């Protein structure tokens, strides 16, 4: 089963990469961008076929490695195929 993991900074955590992107967009003429928050997207192809167990496995992976849960939040999305 395939799972998509979206990891983003929690609200209130400074995002220097996002700020750099916002500034660069302004330099390129893209006015009106008030804020950019940058995160990461991870796709997992798991051997598990049961959706509940696959979600539990992906959640455990996030808690232990894929996300720094002190400053980051994550969301799991099952994928077709």
């Amino acid at each position: 089963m395939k799972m998509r993991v979206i990891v983003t900074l929690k609200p209130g955590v400074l995002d220097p990469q996002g700020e750099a992107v916002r500034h660069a967009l302004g330099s390129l003429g893209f006015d009106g961008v008030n804020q950019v928050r940058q995160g990461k997207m991870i796709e997992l192809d798991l051997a598990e076929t049961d959706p509940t167990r696959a979600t539990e496995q992906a959640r455990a992976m996030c808690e232990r490695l894929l996300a720094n849960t002190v400053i980051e939040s994550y969301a799991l999305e099952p994928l077709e195929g």
Side-chain angles (χ1 to χ4, degrees), residues 7-34:
V7 180
T8 56
L9 290 171
K10 290 181 177 180
V13 175
L14 294 177
D15 186 353
Q17 287 180 308
E19 182 58 24
V21 170
R22 188 197 63 76
H23 180 72
L25 288 170
S27 297
L28 292 171
F30 295 100
D31 298 327
V33 179
N34 296 324

Side-chain angles (χ1 to χ4, degrees), residues 35-54:
Q35 184 180 31
V36 175
R37 302 287 286 174
Q38 188 167 327
K40 57 189 170 187
M41 187 270 300
I42 303 161
E43 287 189 4
L44 303 170
D45 189 354
L46 304 172
E48 183 59 64
T49 57
D50 178 73
T52 301
R53 288 198 296 260

Side-chain angles (χ1 to χ4, degrees), residues 59-76:
R59 184 171 285 115
M61 292 174 192
C62 289
E63 292 289 330
R64 294 182 65 190
L65 176 67
L66 300 179
N68 177 350
T69 57
V70 173
I71 62 169
E72 295 175 319
S73 299
Y74 62 89
L76 302 174

